[in-house]
PDB file of all heavy atoms in Angstrom:
ATOM      1  N   THR L 240      17.209   0.315  57.204  1.00 84.00           N
ATOM      2  CA  THR L 240      16.532  -0.944  57.294  1.00 84.00           C
ATOM      3  C   THR L 240      17.293  -1.886  58.299  1.00 84.00           C
ATOM      4  O   THR L 240      18.468  -1.530  58.596  1.00 84.00           O
ATOM      5  CB  THR L 240      16.475  -1.660  55.957  1.00 84.00           C
ATOM      6  OG1 THR L 240      17.817  -2.001  55.484  1.00 84.00           O
ATOM      7  CG2 THR L 240      15.771  -0.802  54.922  1.00 84.00           C
ATOM      8  N   THR L 241      16.676  -2.983  58.676  1.00 89.00           N
ATOM      9  CA  THR L 241      17.415  -3.895  59.598  1.00 89.00           C
ATOM     10  C   THR L 241      18.649  -4.453  58.902  1.00 89.00           C
ATOM     11  O   THR L 241      19.665  -4.668  59.548  1.00 89.00           O
ATOM     12  CB  THR L 241      16.462  -5.016  59.931  1.00 89.00           C
ATOM     13  OG1 THR L 241      15.899  -5.680  58.850  1.00 89.00           O
ATOM     14  CG2 THR L 241      15.298  -4.523  60.869  1.00 89.00           C
ATOM     15  N   LEU L 242      18.664  -4.669  57.567  1.00 89.00           N
ATOM     16  CA  LEU L 242      19.826  -5.144  56.910  1.00 89.00           C
ATOM     17  C   LEU L 242      20.942  -4.064  56.918  1.00 89.00           C
ATOM     18  O   LEU L 242      22.148  -4.414  57.086  1.00 89.00           O
ATOM     19  CB  LEU L 242      19.482  -5.623  55.490  1.00 89.00           C
ATOM     20  CG  LEU L 242      20.673  -6.200  54.707  1.00 89.00           C
ATOM     21  CD1 LEU L 242      21.273  -7.401  55.412  1.00 89.00           C
ATOM     22  CD2 LEU L 242      20.196  -6.556  53.283  1.00 89.00           C
ATOM     23  N   GLN L 243      20.578  -2.792  56.684  1.00 88.00           N
ATOM     24  CA  GLN L 243      21.579  -1.764  56.711  1.00 88.00           C
ATOM     25  C   GLN L 243      22.204  -1.651  58.200  1.00 88.00           C
ATOM     26  O   GLN L 243      23.392  -1.331  58.218  1.00 88.00           O
ATOM     27  CB  GLN L 243      20.930  -0.449  56.349  1.00 88.00           C
ATOM     28  CG  GLN L 243      20.645  -0.292  54.902  1.00 88.00           C
ATOM     29  CD  GLN L 243      19.928   1.020  54.567  1.00 88.00           C
ATOM     30  OE1 GLN L 243      18.868   1.302  55.131  1.00 88.00           O
ATOM     31  NE2 GLN L 243      20.480   1.793  53.719  1.00 88.00           N
ATOM     32  N   LEU L 244      21.452  -1.957  59.100  1.00 90.00           N
ATOM     33  CA  LEU L 244      22.013  -1.956  60.556  1.00 90.00           C
ATOM     34  C   LEU L 244      22.868  -3.189  60.814  1.00 90.00           C
ATOM     35  O   LEU L 244      23.963  -3.086  61.433  1.00 90.00           O
ATOM     36  CB  LEU L 244      20.853  -1.923  61.524  1.00 90.00           C
ATOM     37  CG  LEU L 244      20.173  -0.607  61.578  1.00 90.00           C
ATOM     38  CD1 LEU L 244      18.840  -0.870  62.285  1.00 90.00           C
ATOM     39  CD2 LEU L 244      20.943   0.443  62.387  1.00 90.00           C
ATOM     40  N   LEU L 245      22.445  -4.324  60.307  1.00 92.00           N
ATOM     41  CA  LEU L 245      23.101  -5.531  60.611  1.00 92.00           C
ATOM     42  C   LEU L 245      24.389  -5.838  59.756  1.00 92.00           C
ATOM     43  O   LEU L 245      25.407  -6.279  60.276  1.00 92.00           O
ATOM     44  CB  LEU L 245      22.096  -6.738  60.436  1.00 92.00           C
ATOM     45  CG  LEU L 245      22.709  -8.111  60.683  1.00 92.00           C
ATOM     46  CD1 LEU L 245      21.716  -8.917  61.468  1.00 92.00           C
ATOM     47  CD2 LEU L 245      23.053  -8.852  59.392  1.00 92.00           C
ATOM     48  N   ALA L 246      24.395  -5.457  58.487  1.00 92.00           N
ATOM     49  CA  ALA L 246      25.426  -5.825  57.522  1.00 92.00           C
ATOM     50  C   ALA L 246      26.794  -5.376  58.044  1.00 92.00           C
ATOM     51  O   ALA L 246      27.737  -6.104  58.046  1.00 92.00           O
ATOM     52  CB  ALA L 246      25.084  -5.347  56.196  1.00 92.00           C
ATOM     53  N   PRO L 247      26.988  -4.064  58.453  1.00 92.00           N
ATOM     54  CA  PRO L 247      28.323  -3.559  58.849  1.00 92.00           C
ATOM     55  C   PRO L 247      28.776  -4.365  60.111  1.00 92.00           C
ATOM     56  O   PRO L 247      30.018  -4.670  60.175  1.00 92.00           O
ATOM     57  CB  PRO L 247      28.106  -2.097  59.111  1.00 92.00           C
ATOM     58  CG  PRO L 247      26.870  -1.725  58.412  1.00 92.00           C
ATOM     59  CD  PRO L 247      26.008  -2.946  58.479  1.00 92.00           C
ATOM     60  N   LEU L 248      27.882  -4.690  61.018  1.00 93.00           N
ATOM     61  CA  LEU L 248      28.325  -5.389  62.219  1.00 93.00           C
ATOM     62  C   LEU L 248      28.645  -6.817  61.869  1.00 93.00           C
ATOM     63  O   LEU L 248      29.622  -7.390  62.457  1.00 93.00           O
ATOM     64  CB  LEU L 248      27.157  -5.405  63.252  1.00 93.00           C
ATOM     65  CG  LEU L 248      26.779  -4.047  63.823  1.00 93.00           C
ATOM     66  CD1 LEU L 248      25.436  -4.059  64.571  1.00 93.00           C
ATOM     67  CD2 LEU L 248      27.919  -3.636  64.800  1.00 93.00           C
ATOM     68  N   ARG L 249      27.985  -7.426  60.931  1.00 94.00           N
ATOM     69  CA  ARG L 249      28.225  -8.799  60.484  1.00 94.00           C
ATOM     70  C   ARG L 249      29.673  -8.854  59.860  1.00 94.00           C
ATOM     71  O   ARG L 249      30.464  -9.729  60.155  1.00 94.00           O
ATOM     72  CB  ARG L 249      27.236  -9.266  59.462  1.00 94.00           C
ATOM     73  CG  ARG L 249      27.492 -10.615  58.937  1.00 94.00           C
ATOM     74  CD  ARG L 249      26.445 -11.012  57.945  1.00 94.00           C
ATOM     75  NE  ARG L 249      26.308 -10.064  56.893  1.00 94.00           N
ATOM     76  CZ  ARG L 249      25.254  -9.956  56.010  1.00 94.00           C
ATOM     77  NH1 ARG L 249      24.187 -10.736  56.151  1.00 94.00           N
ATOM     78  NH2 ARG L 249      25.289  -9.099  54.990  1.00 94.00           N
ATOM     79  N   ASP L 250      29.981  -7.782  59.053  1.00 93.00           N
ATOM     80  CA  ASP L 250      31.313  -7.724  58.431  1.00 93.00           C
ATOM     81  C   ASP L 250      32.439  -7.655  59.509  1.00 93.00           C
ATOM     82  O   ASP L 250      33.470  -8.297  59.426  1.00 93.00           O
ATOM     83  CB  ASP L 250      31.398  -6.607  57.449  1.00 93.00           C
ATOM     84  CG  ASP L 250      30.506  -6.740  56.286  1.00 93.00           C
ATOM     85  OD1 ASP L 250      30.058  -7.892  56.023  1.00 93.00           O
ATOM     86  OD2 ASP L 250      30.174  -5.669  55.600  1.00 93.00           O
ATOM     87  N   GLN L 251      32.141  -6.873  60.550  1.00 92.00           N
ATOM     88  CA  GLN L 251      33.150  -6.651  61.620  1.00 92.00           C
ATOM     89  C   GLN L 251      33.356  -7.986  62.387  1.00 92.00           C
ATOM     90  O   GLN L 251      34.447  -8.315  62.866  1.00 92.00           O
ATOM     91  CB  GLN L 251      32.727  -5.522  62.552  1.00 92.00           C
ATOM     92  CG  GLN L 251      32.737  -4.197  61.904  1.00 92.00           C
ATOM     93  CD  GLN L 251      32.175  -3.096  62.848  1.00 92.00           C
ATOM     94  OE1 GLN L 251      32.680  -2.838  63.871  1.00 92.00           O
ATOM     95  NE2 GLN L 251      31.031  -2.534  62.399  1.00 92.00           N
ATOM     96  N   ILE L 252      32.257  -8.677  62.652  1.00 94.00           N
ATOM     97  CA  ILE L 252      32.371  -9.910  63.404  1.00 94.00           C
ATOM     98  C   ILE L 252      33.216 -10.920  62.649  1.00 94.00           C
ATOM     99  O   ILE L 252      34.067 -11.624  63.215  1.00 94.00           O
ATOM    100  CB  ILE L 252      30.885 -10.450  63.694  1.00 94.00           C
ATOM    101  CG1 ILE L 252      30.253  -9.547  64.740  1.00 94.00           C
ATOM    102  CG2 ILE L 252      30.950 -11.899  64.170  1.00 94.00           C
ATOM    103  CD1 ILE L 252      28.750  -9.852  64.921  1.00 94.00           C
ATOM    104  N   GLN L 253      32.990 -11.001  61.322  1.00 94.00           N
ATOM    105  CA  GLN L 253      33.749 -11.984  60.578  1.00 94.00           C
ATOM    106  C   GLN L 253      35.191 -11.507  60.436  1.00 94.00           C
ATOM    107  O   GLN L 253      36.141 -12.385  60.509  1.00 94.00           O
ATOM    108  CB  GLN L 253      33.169 -12.049  59.137  1.00 94.00           C
ATOM    109  CG  GLN L 253      31.768 -12.815  59.154  1.00 94.00           C
ATOM    110  CD  GLN L 253      31.192 -12.954  57.727  1.00 94.00           C
ATOM    111  OE1 GLN L 253      30.745 -11.875  57.165  1.00 94.00           O
ATOM    112  NE2 GLN L 253      31.186 -14.145  57.183  1.00 94.00           N
ATOM    113  N   ALA L 254      35.431 -10.248  60.361  1.00 92.00           N
ATOM    114  CA  ALA L 254      36.813  -9.702  60.267  1.00 92.00           C
ATOM    115  C   ALA L 254      37.598 -10.043  61.612  1.00 92.00           C
ATOM    116  O   ALA L 254      38.814 -10.199  61.607  1.00 92.00           O
ATOM    117  CB  ALA L 254      36.821  -8.198  60.006  1.00 92.00           C
ATOM    118  N   ALA L 255      36.846 -10.123  62.652  1.00 91.00           N
ATOM    119  CA  ALA L 255      37.475 -10.480  63.949  1.00 91.00           C
ATOM    120  C   ALA L 255      37.786 -11.903  64.107  1.00 91.00           C
ATOM    121  O   ALA L 255      38.215 -12.396  65.248  1.00 91.00           O
ATOM    122  CB  ALA L 255      36.596  -9.982  65.077  1.00 91.00           C
ATOM    123  N   GLY L 256      37.532 -12.747  63.048  1.00 92.00           N
ATOM    124  CA  GLY L 256      37.854 -14.130  63.103  1.00 92.00           C
ATOM    125  C   GLY L 256      36.761 -15.111  63.453  1.00 92.00           C
ATOM    126  O   GLY L 256      36.951 -16.307  63.717  1.00 92.00           O
ATOM    127  N   TYR L 257      35.557 -14.504  63.578  1.00 95.00           N
ATOM    128  CA  TYR L 257      34.341 -15.411  63.872  1.00 95.00           C
ATOM    129  C   TYR L 257      33.781 -16.044  62.620  1.00 95.00           C
ATOM    130  O   TYR L 257      33.818 -15.424  61.487  1.00 95.00           O
ATOM    131  CB  TYR L 257      33.232 -14.530  64.630  1.00 95.00           C
ATOM    132  CG  TYR L 257      33.563 -14.253  65.989  1.00 95.00           C
ATOM    133  CD1 TYR L 257      34.539 -13.299  66.376  1.00 95.00           C
ATOM    134  CD2 TYR L 257      32.864 -14.994  67.024  1.00 95.00           C
ATOM    135  CE1 TYR L 257      34.758 -13.038  67.739  1.00 95.00           C
ATOM    136  CE2 TYR L 257      33.157 -14.649  68.338  1.00 95.00           C
ATOM    137  CZ  TYR L 257      34.085 -13.779  68.702  1.00 95.00           C
ATOM    138  OH  TYR L 257      34.325 -13.500  70.058  1.00 95.00           O
ATOM    139  N   THR L 258      33.224 -17.184  62.858  1.00 96.00           N
ATOM    140  CA  THR L 258      32.540 -17.951  61.726  1.00 96.00           C
ATOM    141  C   THR L 258      31.025 -17.828  61.903  1.00 96.00           C
ATOM    142  O   THR L 258      30.579 -18.240  63.017  1.00 96.00           O
ATOM    143  CB  THR L 258      32.993 -19.361  61.655  1.00 96.00           C
ATOM    144  OG1 THR L 258      34.409 -19.402  61.491  1.00 96.00           O
ATOM    145  CG2 THR L 258      32.381 -20.186  60.498  1.00 96.00           C
ATOM    146  N   LEU L 259      30.359 -17.420  60.908  1.00 97.00           N
ATOM    147  CA  LEU L 259      28.900 -17.343  61.013  1.00 97.00           C
ATOM    148  C   LEU L 259      28.303 -18.778  61.123  1.00 97.00           C
ATOM    149  O   LEU L 259      28.620 -19.668  60.321  1.00 97.00           O
ATOM    150  CB  LEU L 259      28.292 -16.660  59.804  1.00 97.00           C
ATOM    151  CG  LEU L 259      28.584 -15.158  59.618  1.00 97.00           C
ATOM    152  CD1 LEU L 259      27.832 -14.588  58.381  1.00 97.00           C
ATOM    153  CD2 LEU L 259      28.157 -14.402  60.895  1.00 97.00           C
ATOM    154  N   VAL L 260      27.505 -18.953  62.116  1.00 97.00           N
ATOM    155  CA  VAL L 260      26.782 -20.290  62.320  1.00 97.00           C
ATOM    156  C   VAL L 260      25.404 -20.292  61.756  1.00 97.00           C
ATOM    157  O   VAL L 260      25.026 -21.268  61.090  1.00 97.00           O
ATOM    158  CB  VAL L 260      26.739 -20.598  63.806  1.00 97.00           C
ATOM    159  CG1 VAL L 260      25.979 -21.888  64.109  1.00 97.00           C
ATOM    160  CG2 VAL L 260      28.139 -20.787  64.429  1.00 97.00           C
ATOM    161  N   PHE L 261      24.753 -19.174  61.909  1.00 97.00           N
ATOM    162  CA  PHE L 261      23.315 -19.134  61.547  1.00 97.00           C
ATOM    163  C   PHE L 261      22.918 -17.675  61.363  1.00 97.00           C
ATOM    164  O   PHE L 261      23.353 -16.757  62.164  1.00 97.00           O
ATOM    165  CB  PHE L 261      22.447 -19.788  62.594  1.00 97.00           C
ATOM    166  CG  PHE L 261      20.965 -19.588  62.463  1.00 97.00           C
ATOM    167  CD1 PHE L 261      20.286 -19.999  61.324  1.00 97.00           C
ATOM    168  CD2 PHE L 261      20.223 -19.016  63.528  1.00 97.00           C
ATOM    169  CE1 PHE L 261      18.960 -19.818  61.173  1.00 97.00           C
ATOM    170  CE2 PHE L 261      18.898 -18.845  63.373  1.00 97.00           C
ATOM    171  CZ  PHE L 261      18.231 -19.204  62.228  1.00 97.00           C
ATOM    172  N   GLN L 262      22.098 -17.401  60.369  1.00 97.00           N
ATOM    173  CA  GLN L 262      21.472 -16.024  60.268  1.00 97.00           C
ATOM    174  C   GLN L 262      20.118 -16.152  59.572  1.00 97.00           C
ATOM    175  O   GLN L 262      19.992 -17.020  58.714  1.00 97.00           O
ATOM    176  CB  GLN L 262      22.369 -15.072  59.425  1.00 97.00           C
ATOM    177  CG  GLN L 262      22.849 -15.503  58.053  1.00 97.00           C
ATOM    178  CD  GLN L 262      23.825 -14.487  57.514  1.00 97.00           C
ATOM    179  OE1 GLN L 262      23.662 -13.312  57.648  1.00 97.00           O
ATOM    180  NE2 GLN L 262      24.767 -14.950  56.728  1.00 97.00           N
ATOM    181  N   CYS L 263      19.281 -15.324  59.923  1.00 96.00           N
ATOM    182  CA  CYS L 263      17.865 -15.372  59.406  1.00 96.00           C
ATOM    183  C   CYS L 263      17.177 -14.038  59.539  1.00 96.00           C
ATOM    184  O   CYS L 263      17.676 -13.115  60.182  1.00 96.00           O
ATOM    185  CB  CYS L 263      17.053 -16.554  60.077  1.00 96.00           C
ATOM    186  SG  CYS L 263      16.878 -16.191  61.898  1.00 96.00           S
TER     187      CYS L 263
END
Side-chain angles (χ1 to χ4, degrees):
T240 64
T241 53
L242 182 57
Q243 286 176 305
L244 289 161
L245 179 137
L248 293 167
R249 179 179 59 197
D250 293 343
Q251 294 174 62
I252 289 170
Q253 290 181 289
Y257 281 77
T258 301
L259 294 183
V260 174
F261 169 58
Q262 56 182 325
C263 63

